[in-house]
Amino acid sequence: MISKKLKESLLKQHYRIVGKHSSVKICEWTKKSLIDKGVCFKEKFYGIKSHRCAQVSPATVFCQNKCLHCWRAIELTEGKKMNSKLIDNPKDIIKGCIEAQRKLLTGFNGNKKVNQKKFREAQEPMQFAISLTGEPTLYPKLGELISELRKSKKTTFVVTNGLMPEVLIKLNQNSNLPTQLYLSLNSPNKEMYDKWHRSSEKNAWKKFNETLVLFPRLKTRKVIRMTLVKDLNDKPKHIREYAELIKKAKPDFIEVKSYMAIGFSRERKGMGYDKMLSHEEIKDYSKKLVKELKK
């Protein structure tokens, strides 16, 4: 399912392909944690150990959108339809991802700076961040994948673009929702959404809003994640619109972060380092958003 050209590109970026359509990559925070140089926000906010986190995708080359800020190789996306006859079994994906993660970690064992206790623990990841690349809800057996991970007492964080509300309904009905569910909110209105996400999904804005309305009924911990790009979707005039959308979703948490000029995003016109917000700017925007949400 992954073209030769894209596979070569992913391997150069230190991904490891698992089976026909899945992948794993060592997160920079996992690397830092192994040498005691810091941890990911997931550890600071939610207690997830960075050195025991596997960053994976069961739908590596599949997504409905081609978002402006995405650092992935979206120009090589295969589309939004996975061939149900060719998809891999969840157990095989989990086993393959763990084996690939271990191989990627091998070189760290020779580094004298590595915390050996953490290194040993890292051989058995206990958190699966299903957010590496692609849209996970396009994988037809996502519920089974989450269920298998839960049986092994592993936690799961899933990030979705919100264009498959029917999948979320099914996960909810079958008690197969992840430990934490993220919904990406990057556009305050339909006009900006269409320009920003360049979706191949018909009625994408409508489906996204269906997911916003569905969100409060989903029986798991829920997060709205916003990625701001300077002078594009961070304008003060949009705060009220963002607040109205968030009020529909009633999430447990809201995470506001800056666009990062990394990967393939830098090759797109107008998406350079000058589009990154400082930590102070993110905090200021967050405070204004909170003030609007309280109205």
Side-chain angles (χ1 to χ4, degrees), residues 187-219:
S187 304
N189 53 57
K190 185 180 185 303
E191 181 182 4
M192 188 174 288
Y193 185 95
D194 291 340
K195 292 179 180 178
W196 191 276
H197 297 285
R198 301 181 294 176
S199 185
S200 63
E201 189 72 31
K202 188 178 180 181
N203 298 320
W205 176 246
K206 180 175 180 291
K207 289 193 174 184
F208 179 77
N209 275 269
E210 286 176 10
T211 296
L212 288 175
V213 174
L214 170 67
F215 225 51
R217 306 204 307 268
L218 300 178
K219 299 175 183 177

PDB file of all heavy atoms in Angstrom, residues 187-219:
ATOM      1  N   SER A 187      -8.968  25.632  12.246  1.00  0.00           N
ATOM      2  CA  SER A 187      -9.645  26.656  11.440  1.00  0.00           C
ATOM      3  C   SER A 187     -10.921  27.087  12.148  1.00  0.00           C
ATOM      4  O   SER A 187     -11.695  26.244  12.605  1.00  0.00           O
ATOM      5  CB  SER A 187      -9.980  26.109  10.049  1.00  0.00           C
ATOM      6  OG  SER A 187      -8.807  25.628   9.419  1.00  0.00           O
ATOM      7  N   PRO A 188     -11.189  28.391  12.215  1.00  0.00           N
ATOM      8  CA  PRO A 188     -12.352  28.893  12.944  1.00  0.00           C
ATOM      9  C   PRO A 188     -13.656  28.941  12.162  1.00  0.00           C
ATOM     10  O   PRO A 188     -14.725  29.121  12.728  1.00  0.00           O
ATOM     11  CB  PRO A 188     -11.919  30.304  13.335  1.00  0.00           C
ATOM     12  CG  PRO A 188     -11.040  30.723  12.190  1.00  0.00           C
ATOM     13  CD  PRO A 188     -10.301  29.487  11.789  1.00  0.00           C
ATOM     14  N   ASN A 189     -13.570  28.779  10.831  1.00  0.00           N
ATOM     15  CA  ASN A 189     -14.788  28.871  10.023  1.00  0.00           C
ATOM     16  C   ASN A 189     -14.612  28.065   8.734  1.00  0.00           C
ATOM     17  O   ASN A 189     -13.507  27.613   8.418  1.00  0.00           O
ATOM     18  CB  ASN A 189     -15.121  30.331   9.694  1.00  0.00           C
ATOM     19  CG  ASN A 189     -13.939  31.067   9.073  1.00  0.00           C
ATOM     20  OD1 ASN A 189     -13.398  30.648   8.042  1.00  0.00           O
ATOM     21  ND2 ASN A 189     -13.514  32.162   9.714  1.00  0.00           N
ATOM     22  N   LYS A 190     -15.702  27.904   7.994  1.00  0.00           N
ATOM     23  CA  LYS A 190     -15.679  27.064   6.793  1.00  0.00           C
ATOM     24  C   LYS A 190     -14.722  27.594   5.726  1.00  0.00           C
ATOM     25  O   LYS A 190     -13.995  26.820   5.094  1.00  0.00           O
ATOM     26  CB  LYS A 190     -17.079  26.935   6.190  1.00  0.00           C
ATOM     27  CG  LYS A 190     -17.147  25.981   4.996  1.00  0.00           C
ATOM     28  CD  LYS A 190     -18.545  25.887   4.435  1.00  0.00           C
ATOM     29  CE  LYS A 190     -18.613  24.840   3.326  1.00  0.00           C
ATOM     30  NZ  LYS A 190     -17.653  25.098   2.223  1.00  0.00           N
ATOM     31  N   GLU A 191     -14.743  28.895   5.508  1.00  0.00           N
ATOM     32  CA  GLU A 191     -13.887  29.471   4.467  1.00  0.00           C
ATOM     33  C   GLU A 191     -12.416  29.148   4.726  1.00  0.00           C
ATOM     34  O   GLU A 191     -11.697  28.697   3.835  1.00  0.00           O
ATOM     35  CB  GLU A 191     -14.080  30.988   4.402  1.00  0.00           C
ATOM     36  CG  GLU A 191     -13.231  31.653   3.328  1.00  0.00           C
ATOM     37  CD  GLU A 191     -13.389  33.168   3.302  1.00  0.00           C
ATOM     38  OE1 GLU A 191     -14.097  33.722   4.164  1.00  0.00           O
ATOM     39  OE2 GLU A 191     -12.778  33.800   2.422  1.00  0.00           O
ATOM     40  N   MET A 192     -11.980  29.360   5.960  1.00  0.00           N
ATOM     41  CA  MET A 192     -10.588  29.083   6.288  1.00  0.00           C
ATOM     42  C   MET A 192     -10.318  27.581   6.306  1.00  0.00           C
ATOM     43  O   MET A 192      -9.243  27.130   5.908  1.00  0.00           O
ATOM     44  CB  MET A 192     -10.222  29.700   7.641  1.00  0.00           C
ATOM     45  CG  MET A 192      -8.738  29.608   7.955  1.00  0.00           C
ATOM     46  SD  MET A 192      -8.278  30.493   9.465  1.00  0.00           S
ATOM     47  CE  MET A 192      -8.431  32.182   8.886  1.00  0.00           C
ATOM     48  N   TYR A 193     -11.309  26.806   6.758  1.00  0.00           N
ATOM     49  CA  TYR A 193     -11.143  25.351   6.803  1.00  0.00           C
ATOM     50  C   TYR A 193     -10.851  24.797   5.405  1.00  0.00           C
ATOM     51  O   TYR A 193      -9.934  23.996   5.221  1.00  0.00           O
ATOM     52  CB  TYR A 193     -12.412  24.694   7.357  1.00  0.00           C
ATOM     53  CG  TYR A 193     -12.295  23.197   7.553  1.00  0.00           C
ATOM     54  CD1 TYR A 193     -11.953  22.663   8.789  1.00  0.00           C
ATOM     55  CD2 TYR A 193     -12.511  22.317   6.494  1.00  0.00           C
ATOM     56  CE1 TYR A 193     -11.833  21.294   8.974  1.00  0.00           C
ATOM     57  CE2 TYR A 193     -12.380  20.955   6.665  1.00  0.00           C
ATOM     58  CZ  TYR A 193     -12.049  20.442   7.906  1.00  0.00           C
ATOM     59  OH  TYR A 193     -11.915  19.090   8.056  1.00  0.00           O
ATOM     60  N   ASP A 194     -11.624  25.234   4.438  1.00  0.00           N
ATOM     61  CA  ASP A 194     -11.450  24.734   3.064  1.00  0.00           C
ATOM     62  C   ASP A 194     -10.077  25.084   2.504  1.00  0.00           C
ATOM     63  O   ASP A 194      -9.430  24.260   1.848  1.00  0.00           O
ATOM     64  CB  ASP A 194     -12.546  25.302   2.157  1.00  0.00           C
ATOM     65  CG  ASP A 194     -13.924  24.731   2.484  1.00  0.00           C
ATOM     66  OD1 ASP A 194     -13.981  23.663   3.126  1.00  0.00           O
ATOM     67  OD2 ASP A 194     -14.926  25.354   2.094  1.00  0.00           O
ATOM     68  N   LYS A 195      -9.618  26.307   2.777  1.00  0.00           N
ATOM     69  CA  LYS A 195      -8.310  26.729   2.277  1.00  0.00           C
ATOM     70  C   LYS A 195      -7.175  26.043   3.030  1.00  0.00           C
ATOM     71  O   LYS A 195      -6.141  25.732   2.464  1.00  0.00           O
ATOM     72  CB  LYS A 195      -8.170  28.245   2.414  1.00  0.00           C
ATOM     73  CG  LYS A 195      -9.084  29.040   1.498  1.00  0.00           C
ATOM     74  CD  LYS A 195      -8.903  30.532   1.707  1.00  0.00           C
ATOM     75  CE  LYS A 195      -9.824  31.335   0.796  1.00  0.00           C
ATOM     76  NZ  LYS A 195      -9.678  32.805   1.030  1.00  0.00           N
ATOM     77  N   TRP A 196      -7.395  25.827   4.314  1.00  0.00           N
ATOM     78  CA  TRP A 196      -6.345  25.302   5.193  1.00  0.00           C
ATOM     79  C   TRP A 196      -6.123  23.804   5.005  1.00  0.00           C
ATOM     80  O   TRP A 196      -5.004  23.328   4.872  1.00  0.00           O
ATOM     81  CB  TRP A 196      -6.743  25.583   6.633  1.00  0.00           C
ATOM     82  CG  TRP A 196      -5.654  25.330   7.626  1.00  0.00           C
ATOM     83  CD1 TRP A 196      -5.306  24.139   8.194  1.00  0.00           C
ATOM     84  CD2 TRP A 196      -4.765  26.299   8.151  1.00  0.00           C
ATOM     85  NE1 TRP A 196      -4.268  24.302   9.057  1.00  0.00           N
ATOM     86  CE2 TRP A 196      -3.902  25.633   9.052  1.00  0.00           C
ATOM     87  CE3 TRP A 196      -4.611  27.671   7.968  1.00  0.00           C
ATOM     88  CZ2 TRP A 196      -2.912  26.286   9.761  1.00  0.00           C
ATOM     89  CZ3 TRP A 196      -3.624  28.325   8.684  1.00  0.00           C
ATOM     90  CH2 TRP A 196      -2.782  27.637   9.552  1.00  0.00           C
ATOM     91  N   HIS A 197      -7.222  23.050   5.004  1.00  0.00           N
ATOM     92  CA  HIS A 197      -7.122  21.590   5.026  1.00  0.00           C
ATOM     93  C   HIS A 197      -7.160  20.951   3.641  1.00  0.00           C
ATOM     94  O   HIS A 197      -6.779  19.784   3.492  1.00  0.00           O
ATOM     95  CB  HIS A 197      -8.228  20.999   5.906  1.00  0.00           C
ATOM     96  CG  HIS A 197      -8.110  21.426   7.332  1.00  0.00           C
ATOM     97  ND1 HIS A 197      -7.159  20.909   8.176  1.00  0.00           N
ATOM     98  CD2 HIS A 197      -8.806  22.334   8.054  1.00  0.00           C
ATOM     99  CE1 HIS A 197      -7.286  21.475   9.372  1.00  0.00           C
ATOM    100  NE2 HIS A 197      -8.274  22.338   9.319  1.00  0.00           N
ATOM    101  N   ARG A 198      -7.653  21.675   2.665  1.00  0.00           N
ATOM    102  CA  ARG A 198      -7.663  21.177   1.283  1.00  0.00           C
ATOM    103  C   ARG A 198      -8.134  19.709   1.243  1.00  0.00           C
ATOM    104  O   ARG A 198      -7.471  18.832   0.690  1.00  0.00           O
ATOM    105  CB  ARG A 198      -6.268  21.331   0.683  1.00  0.00           C
ATOM    106  CG  ARG A 198      -5.770  22.771   0.681  1.00  0.00           C
ATOM    107  CD  ARG A 198      -4.408  22.922   0.068  1.00  0.00           C
ATOM    108  NE  ARG A 198      -3.370  22.264   0.855  1.00  0.00           N
ATOM    109  CZ  ARG A 198      -2.094  22.178   0.491  1.00  0.00           C
ATOM    110  NH1 ARG A 198      -1.711  22.695  -0.655  1.00  0.00           N
ATOM    111  NH2 ARG A 198      -1.217  21.567   1.259  1.00  0.00           N
ATOM    112  N   SER A 199      -9.301  19.508   1.821  1.00  0.00           N
ATOM    113  CA  SER A 199      -9.806  18.150   2.004  1.00  0.00           C
ATOM    114  C   SER A 199     -10.397  17.547   0.739  1.00  0.00           C
ATOM    115  O   SER A 199     -11.020  18.234  -0.065  1.00  0.00           O
ATOM    116  CB  SER A 199     -10.875  18.138   3.106  1.00  0.00           C
ATOM    117  OG  SER A 199     -11.287  16.830   3.384  1.00  0.00           O
ATOM    118  N   SER A 200     -10.190  16.240   0.595  1.00  0.00           N
ATOM    119  CA  SER A 200     -10.806  15.497  -0.510  1.00  0.00           C
ATOM    120  C   SER A 200     -12.154  14.935  -0.075  1.00  0.00           C
ATOM    121  O   SER A 200     -12.877  14.348  -0.891  1.00  0.00           O
ATOM    122  CB  SER A 200      -9.891  14.344  -0.938  1.00  0.00           C
ATOM    123  OG  SER A 200      -9.731  13.410   0.128  1.00  0.00           O
ATOM    124  N   GLU A 201     -12.490  15.127   1.189  1.00  0.00           N
ATOM    125  CA  GLU A 201     -13.750  14.617   1.743  1.00  0.00           C
ATOM    126  C   GLU A 201     -14.888  15.578   1.399  1.00  0.00           C
ATOM    127  O   GLU A 201     -14.804  16.789   1.649  1.00  0.00           O
ATOM    128  CB  GLU A 201     -13.637  14.472   3.256  1.00  0.00           C
ATOM    129  CG  GLU A 201     -14.802  13.760   3.905  1.00  0.00           C
ATOM    130  CD  GLU A 201     -14.829  12.280   3.617  1.00  0.00           C
ATOM    131  OE1 GLU A 201     -13.749  11.685   3.455  1.00  0.00           O
ATOM    132  OE2 GLU A 201     -15.940  11.725   3.529  1.00  0.00           O
ATOM    133  N   LYS A 202     -15.947  15.033   0.825  1.00  0.00           N
ATOM    134  CA  LYS A 202     -17.110  15.855   0.507  1.00  0.00           C
ATOM    135  C   LYS A 202     -17.767  16.327   1.801  1.00  0.00           C
ATOM    136  O   LYS A 202     -17.896  15.571   2.749  1.00  0.00           O
ATOM    137  CB  LYS A 202     -18.112  15.034  -0.329  1.00  0.00           C
ATOM    138  CG  LYS A 202     -19.265  15.858  -0.868  1.00  0.00           C
ATOM    139  CD  LYS A 202     -20.179  14.995  -1.722  1.00  0.00           C
ATOM    140  CE  LYS A 202     -21.346  15.805  -2.275  1.00  0.00           C
ATOM    141  NZ  LYS A 202     -22.259  14.981  -3.097  1.00  0.00           N
ATOM    142  N   ASN A 203     -18.151  17.592   1.847  1.00  0.00           N
ATOM    143  CA  ASN A 203     -18.787  18.169   3.031  1.00  0.00           C
ATOM    144  C   ASN A 203     -17.907  18.026   4.277  1.00  0.00           C
ATOM    145  O   ASN A 203     -18.390  17.706   5.374  1.00  0.00           O
ATOM    146  CB  ASN A 203     -20.153  17.517   3.288  1.00  0.00           C
ATOM    147  CG  ASN A 203     -21.128  17.732   2.147  1.00  0.00           C
ATOM    148  OD1 ASN A 203     -21.180  18.820   1.574  1.00  0.00           O
ATOM    149  ND2 ASN A 203     -21.874  16.702   1.795  1.00  0.00           N
ATOM    150  N   ALA A 204     -16.612  18.267   4.125  1.00  0.00           N
ATOM    151  CA  ALA A 204     -15.663  18.093   5.231  1.00  0.00           C
ATOM    152  C   ALA A 204     -16.009  18.965   6.441  1.00  0.00           C
ATOM    153  O   ALA A 204     -15.987  18.493   7.579  1.00  0.00           O
ATOM    154  CB  ALA A 204     -14.248  18.389   4.744  1.00  0.00           C
ATOM    155  N   TRP A 205     -16.341  20.221   6.214  1.00  0.00           N
ATOM    156  CA  TRP A 205     -16.657  21.126   7.322  1.00  0.00           C
ATOM    157  C   TRP A 205     -17.892  20.640   8.077  1.00  0.00           C
ATOM    158  O   TRP A 205     -17.948  20.679   9.316  1.00  0.00           O
ATOM    159  CB  TRP A 205     -16.878  22.541   6.791  1.00  0.00           C
ATOM    160  CG  TRP A 205     -17.295  23.552   7.822  1.00  0.00           C
ATOM    161  CD1 TRP A 205     -18.492  24.193   7.893  1.00  0.00           C
ATOM    162  CD2 TRP A 205     -16.513  24.050   8.914  1.00  0.00           C
ATOM    163  NE1 TRP A 205     -18.518  25.056   8.963  1.00  0.00           N
ATOM    164  CE2 TRP A 205     -17.313  24.992   9.609  1.00  0.00           C
ATOM    165  CE3 TRP A 205     -15.219  23.790   9.375  1.00  0.00           C
ATOM    166  CZ2 TRP A 205     -16.854  25.678  10.739  1.00  0.00           C
ATOM    167  CZ3 TRP A 205     -14.769  24.477  10.506  1.00  0.00           C
ATOM    168  CH2 TRP A 205     -15.578  25.400  11.173  1.00  0.00           C
ATOM    169  N   LYS A 206     -18.871  20.137   7.346  1.00  0.00           N
ATOM    170  CA  LYS A 206     -20.096  19.616   7.953  1.00  0.00           C
ATOM    171  C   LYS A 206     -19.767  18.394   8.825  1.00  0.00           C
ATOM    172  O   LYS A 206     -20.245  18.282   9.964  1.00  0.00           O
ATOM    173  CB  LYS A 206     -21.099  19.233   6.870  1.00  0.00           C
ATOM    174  CG  LYS A 206     -22.420  18.666   7.376  1.00  0.00           C
ATOM    175  CD  LYS A 206     -23.365  18.432   6.207  1.00  0.00           C
ATOM    176  CE  LYS A 206     -24.702  17.856   6.672  1.00  0.00           C
ATOM    177  NZ  LYS A 206     -24.550  16.465   7.156  1.00  0.00           N
ATOM    178  N   LYS A 207     -18.949  17.501   8.312  1.00  0.00           N
ATOM    179  CA  LYS A 207     -18.592  16.300   9.065  1.00  0.00           C
ATOM    180  C   LYS A 207     -17.762  16.652  10.303  1.00  0.00           C
ATOM    181  O   LYS A 207     -17.919  16.045  11.372  1.00  0.00           O
ATOM    182  CB  LYS A 207     -17.823  15.323   8.173  1.00  0.00           C
ATOM    183  CG  LYS A 207     -18.689  14.660   7.115  1.00  0.00           C
ATOM    184  CD  LYS A 207     -17.984  13.484   6.468  1.00  0.00           C
ATOM    185  CE  LYS A 207     -18.925  12.746   5.519  1.00  0.00           C
ATOM    186  NZ  LYS A 207     -18.286  11.539   4.940  1.00  0.00           N
ATOM    187  N   PHE A 208     -16.879  17.633  10.136  1.00  0.00           N
ATOM    188  CA  PHE A 208     -16.082  18.061  11.280  1.00  0.00           C
ATOM    189  C   PHE A 208     -16.981  18.580  12.390  1.00  0.00           C
ATOM    190  O   PHE A 208     -16.788  18.268  13.579  1.00  0.00           O
ATOM    191  CB  PHE A 208     -15.091  19.150  10.842  1.00  0.00           C
ATOM    192  CG  PHE A 208     -14.249  19.672  11.959  1.00  0.00           C
ATOM    193  CD1 PHE A 208     -13.176  18.945  12.440  1.00  0.00           C
ATOM    194  CD2 PHE A 208     -14.536  20.899  12.548  1.00  0.00           C
ATOM    195  CE1 PHE A 208     -12.392  19.423  13.480  1.00  0.00           C
ATOM    196  CE2 PHE A 208     -13.769  21.386  13.590  1.00  0.00           C
ATOM    197  CZ  PHE A 208     -12.692  20.642  14.055  1.00  0.00           C
ATOM    198  N   ASN A 209     -17.988  19.347  12.026  1.00  0.00           N
ATOM    199  CA  ASN A 209     -18.915  19.886  13.025  1.00  0.00           C
ATOM    200  C   ASN A 209     -19.788  18.789  13.642  1.00  0.00           C
ATOM    201  O   ASN A 209     -20.187  18.892  14.806  1.00  0.00           O
ATOM    202  CB  ASN A 209     -19.775  20.990  12.413  1.00  0.00           C
ATOM    203  CG  ASN A 209     -19.086  22.343  12.445  1.00  0.00           C
ATOM    204  OD1 ASN A 209     -19.232  23.101  13.399  1.00  0.00           O
ATOM    205  ND2 ASN A 209     -18.313  22.638  11.418  1.00  0.00           N
ATOM    206  N   GLU A 210     -20.065  17.759  12.871  1.00  0.00           N
ATOM    207  CA  GLU A 210     -20.789  16.614  13.438  1.00  0.00           C
ATOM    208  C   GLU A 210     -19.966  15.965  14.552  1.00  0.00           C
ATOM    209  O   GLU A 210     -20.508  15.548  15.575  1.00  0.00           O
ATOM    210  CB  GLU A 210     -21.082  15.586  12.338  1.00  0.00           C
ATOM    211  CG  GLU A 210     -22.177  15.992  11.370  1.00  0.00           C
ATOM    212  CD  GLU A 210     -22.358  14.983  10.246  1.00  0.00           C
ATOM    213  OE1 GLU A 210     -21.775  13.884  10.332  1.00  0.00           O
ATOM    214  OE2 GLU A 210     -23.078  15.300   9.279  1.00  0.00           O
ATOM    215  N   THR A 211     -18.651  15.916  14.340  1.00  0.00           N
ATOM    216  CA  THR A 211     -17.772  15.355  15.355  1.00  0.00           C
ATOM    217  C   THR A 211     -17.716  16.257  16.583  1.00  0.00           C
ATOM    218  O   THR A 211     -17.692  15.770  17.727  1.00  0.00           O
ATOM    219  CB  THR A 211     -16.360  15.138  14.783  1.00  0.00           C
ATOM    220  OG1 THR A 211     -16.432  14.162  13.741  1.00  0.00           O
ATOM    221  CG2 THR A 211     -15.399  14.631  15.853  1.00  0.00           C
ATOM    222  N   LEU A 212     -17.717  17.563  16.383  1.00  0.00           N
ATOM    223  CA  LEU A 212     -17.739  18.495  17.511  1.00  0.00           C
ATOM    224  C   LEU A 212     -18.969  18.256  18.387  1.00  0.00           C
ATOM    225  O   LEU A 212     -18.874  18.220  19.618  1.00  0.00           O
ATOM    226  CB  LEU A 212     -17.742  19.939  17.012  1.00  0.00           C
ATOM    227  CG  LEU A 212     -16.454  20.497  16.407  1.00  0.00           C
ATOM    228  CD1 LEU A 212     -16.702  21.898  15.855  1.00  0.00           C
ATOM    229  CD2 LEU A 212     -15.322  20.525  17.423  1.00  0.00           C
ATOM    230  N   VAL A 213     -20.127  18.079  17.755  1.00  0.00           N
ATOM    231  CA  VAL A 213     -21.377  17.852  18.484  1.00  0.00           C
ATOM    232  C   VAL A 213     -21.373  16.474  19.157  1.00  0.00           C
ATOM    233  O   VAL A 213     -21.908  16.296  20.257  1.00  0.00           O
ATOM    234  CB  VAL A 213     -22.580  17.977  17.524  1.00  0.00           C
ATOM    235  CG1 VAL A 213     -23.879  17.590  18.221  1.00  0.00           C
ATOM    236  CG2 VAL A 213     -22.681  19.401  16.976  1.00  0.00           C
ATOM    237  N   LEU A 214     -20.741  15.515  18.510  1.00  0.00           N
ATOM    238  CA  LEU A 214     -20.652  14.154  19.046  1.00  0.00           C
ATOM    239  C   LEU A 214     -19.708  14.074  20.246  1.00  0.00           C
ATOM    240  O   LEU A 214     -19.920  13.270  21.166  1.00  0.00           O
ATOM    241  CB  LEU A 214     -20.154  13.218  17.935  1.00  0.00           C
ATOM    242  CG  LEU A 214     -19.754  11.790  18.321  1.00  0.00           C
ATOM    243  CD1 LEU A 214     -20.974  10.995  18.780  1.00  0.00           C
ATOM    244  CD2 LEU A 214     -19.068  11.101  17.143  1.00  0.00           C
ATOM    245  N   PHE A 215     -18.695  14.899  20.258  1.00  0.00           N
ATOM    246  CA  PHE A 215     -17.603  14.811  21.229  1.00  0.00           C
ATOM    247  C   PHE A 215     -18.051  14.659  22.687  1.00  0.00           C
ATOM    248  O   PHE A 215     -17.525  13.797  23.402  1.00  0.00           O
ATOM    249  CB  PHE A 215     -16.706  16.047  21.071  1.00  0.00           C
ATOM    250  CG  PHE A 215     -15.233  15.720  21.063  1.00  0.00           C
ATOM    251  CD1 PHE A 215     -14.723  14.740  20.231  1.00  0.00           C
ATOM    252  CD2 PHE A 215     -14.354  16.412  21.883  1.00  0.00           C
ATOM    253  CE1 PHE A 215     -13.367  14.446  20.209  1.00  0.00           C
ATOM    254  CE2 PHE A 215     -12.995  16.135  21.882  1.00  0.00           C
ATOM    255  CZ  PHE A 215     -12.503  15.145  21.046  1.00  0.00           C
ATOM    256  N   PRO A 216     -19.009  15.453  23.175  1.00  0.00           N
ATOM    257  CA  PRO A 216     -19.394  15.337  24.583  1.00  0.00           C
ATOM    258  C   PRO A 216     -19.941  13.961  24.964  1.00  0.00           C
ATOM    259  O   PRO A 216     -19.904  13.563  26.136  1.00  0.00           O
ATOM    260  CB  PRO A 216     -20.481  16.409  24.743  1.00  0.00           C
ATOM    261  CG  PRO A 216     -20.226  17.367  23.636  1.00  0.00           C
ATOM    262  CD  PRO A 216     -19.727  16.546  22.493  1.00  0.00           C
ATOM    263  N   ARG A 217     -20.455  13.210  23.990  1.00  0.00           N
ATOM    264  CA  ARG A 217     -21.073  11.903  24.275  1.00  0.00           C
ATOM    265  C   ARG A 217     -20.061  10.759  24.297  1.00  0.00           C
ATOM    266  O   ARG A 217     -20.397   9.636  24.685  1.00  0.00           O
ATOM    267  CB  ARG A 217     -22.162  11.595  23.238  1.00  0.00           C
ATOM    268  CG  ARG A 217     -23.216  12.682  23.095  1.00  0.00           C
ATOM    269  CD  ARG A 217     -24.529  12.128  22.543  1.00  0.00           C
ATOM    270  NE  ARG A 217     -24.361  11.388  21.312  1.00  0.00           N
ATOM    271  CZ  ARG A 217     -24.464  11.926  20.093  1.00  0.00           C
ATOM    272  NH1 ARG A 217     -24.700  13.223  19.965  1.00  0.00           N
ATOM    273  NH2 ARG A 217     -24.343  11.188  19.013  1.00  0.00           N
ATOM    274  N   LEU A 218     -18.853  11.019  23.879  1.00  0.00           N
ATOM    275  CA  LEU A 218     -17.836   9.974  23.808  1.00  0.00           C
ATOM    276  C   LEU A 218     -17.262   9.706  25.197  1.00  0.00           C
ATOM    277  O   LEU A 218     -16.796  10.610  25.880  1.00  0.00           O
ATOM    278  CB  LEU A 218     -16.725  10.385  22.837  1.00  0.00           C
ATOM    279  CG  LEU A 218     -17.189  10.647  21.401  1.00  0.00           C
ATOM    280  CD1 LEU A 218     -16.018  11.085  20.538  1.00  0.00           C
ATOM    281  CD2 LEU A 218     -17.848   9.399  20.796  1.00  0.00           C
ATOM    282  N   LYS A 219     -17.293   8.454  25.589  1.00  0.00           N
ATOM    283  CA  LYS A 219     -16.933   8.074  26.962  1.00  0.00           C
ATOM    284  C   LYS A 219     -15.439   7.787  27.112  1.00  0.00           C
ATOM    285  O   LYS A 219     -15.014   6.645  27.300  1.00  0.00           O
ATOM    286  CB  LYS A 219     -17.766   6.863  27.385  1.00  0.00           C
ATOM    287  CG  LYS A 219     -19.263   7.135  27.373  1.00  0.00           C
ATOM    288  CD  LYS A 219     -20.062   5.890  27.669  1.00  0.00           C
ATOM    289  CE  LYS A 219     -21.561   6.176  27.586  1.00  0.00           C
ATOM    290  NZ  LYS A 219     -22.378   4.943  27.814  1.00  0.00           N
TER     291      LYS A 219
END
